[in-house]
Amino acid sequence: MARGKSVSMTNDRRLVCDVIAIARQMPIAPIERTIELAELVHLKRMARPRISWPVLMMRAYAIVARDNPLLRRVYVGLPRQHYYEHPENVCVLTISREVDGREQLIFARFNQPENYSLAQLQEQFDNYRRLPARQIKHFRHQIRFSKMPWLVRRFGWSLLTRWMPASRAKLMGTFGMSLSGFRNTLGTWHLGPCTTTLGYDQFCIKGNARLTLTFDHRVLDGKPAVDVLESLRA
């Protein structure tokens, strides 16, 4: 019988595993909603420059989070149970792009997206997808951190998640975003280190967009989470 072989884990997959390990410490709950966006689809087709769905969803959610402090809070267990509320939005968007000749997931950061125009956010998003990864400062930091030994990475994550909530918000985001719909499928469970993670459909079918919201139940309950999606629709 043929024997299998050991395959080394790449650095980027180690980083993804780190993020998943943080998310698994959170009591996460998901909700899903379909919203009608036919008018927006029509306007989007006419807009110049062209604006992508991730940018539209990001700015809309950032406006909701600006007005809802719950979405800028994170649970902190030590040295006592409390919430840390960040004064501004930081969105971390998961994108897939080529790094060192290989396709991998990387985390793009947008500071205060509600304060920028759609065109400005689209330009930043395009740069994140097209510029060499090592030209972007926080991409370089991610690549460098992913190469560090497991014990060093674990210590760094522990500092951020347990003792440095302000730095956690700045570096890991106050909310996350991830592609949810692809080839007529929908992912309904997004593991991430943020209190809320918005999953969005890449394509609106007949003007309908499918959205998912994964949230930390220690910060939000079901009714407030439903209200968040309603505010996002509005």
Side-chain angles (χ1 to χ4, degrees):
M1 180 181 293
R3 296 183 62 182
K5 62 180 181 180
S6 175
V7 180
S8 298
M9 182 176 288
T10 58
N11 293 325
D12 63 292
R13 297 313 300 173
R14 292 190 184 98
L15 195 62
V16 171
C17 289
D18 290 348
V19 171
I20 291 173
I22 295 170
R24 290 184 64 183
Q25 299 173 13
M26 303 160 58
I28 289 176
I31 58 173
E32 175 190 340
R33 176 168 180 176
T34 299
I35 59 177
E36 198 278 322
L37 295 175
E39 183 178 1
L40 181 59
V41 171
H42 176 67
L43 293 172
K44 180 178 177 296
R45 287 172 180 166
M46 296 190 299
R48 295 295 181 274
R50 296 295 296 270
I51 306 298
S52 63
W53 283 115
V55 168
L56 282 168
M57 295 295 182
M58 180 200 314
R59 192 170 188 277
Y61 194 87
I63 291 172
V64 173
R66 177 195 63 194
D67 300 331
N68 187 344
L70 278 177
L71 303 181
R72 289 181 277 107
R73 291 179 186 173
V74 64
Y75 172 85
V76 183
L78 296 172
R80 59 180 176 82
Q81 288 183 315
H82 67 283
Y83 297 116
Y84 168 76
E85 184 178 303
H86 203 58
E88 59 191 40
N89 288 307
V90 181
C91 172
V92 171
L93 173 64
T94 304
I95 61 175
S96 178
R97 57 155 302 163
E98 185 177 293
V99 179
D100 296 335
R102 190 172 57 81
E103 197 76 13
Q104 66 179 59
L105 293 182
I106 203 161
F107 306 101
R109 191 163 64 237
F110 298 80
N111 295 315
Q112 296 180 276
E114 71 278 10
N115 291 337
Y116 293 88
S117 69
L118 289 171
Q120 289 173 318
L121 291 173
Q122 186 64 48
E123 181 180 7
Q124 186 178 2
F125 179 58
D126 290 339
N127 287 338
Y128 281 156
R129 291 189 302 167
R130 296 170 184 171
L131 290 178
R134 296 183 187 277
Q135 289 187 16
I136 300 170
K137 184 177 180 180
H138 66 274
F139 285 2
R140 290 199 306 271
H141 290 170
Q142 289 177 41
I143 295 168
R144 189 179 303 122
F145 186 70
S146 70
K147 294 179 179 179
M148 292 182 177
W150 175 76
L151 283 176
V152 175
R153 299 198 319 273
R154 183 176 182 180
F155 178 71
W157 289 124
S158 180
L159 280 179
L160 282 178
T161 57
R162 296 174 184 271
W163 302 102
M164 303 170 65
S167 296
R168 172 179 179 166
K170 291 178 182 178
L171 298 176
M172 301 168 67
T174 57
F175 71 91
M177 286 186 60
S178 180
L179 176 64
S180 183
F182 184 68
R183 293 182 180 174
N184 206 31
T185 62
L186 182 69
T188 57
W189 193 284
H190 295 275
L191 292 174
C194 300
T195 295
T196 60
T197 300
L198 180 70
Y200 60 92
D201 224 338
Q202 190 174 20
F203 304 102
C204 288
I205 301 174
K206 297 181 181 179
N208 294 320
R210 298 181 297 176
L211 302 177
T212 63
L213 185 69
T214 308
F215 58 95
D216 186 342
H217 223 318
R218 296 171 299 186
V219 183
L220 280 137
D221 290 322
K223 173 61 166 57
V226 170
D227 292 341
V228 166
L229 287 184
E230 174 57 27
S231 298
L232 179 64
R233 182 202 63 80

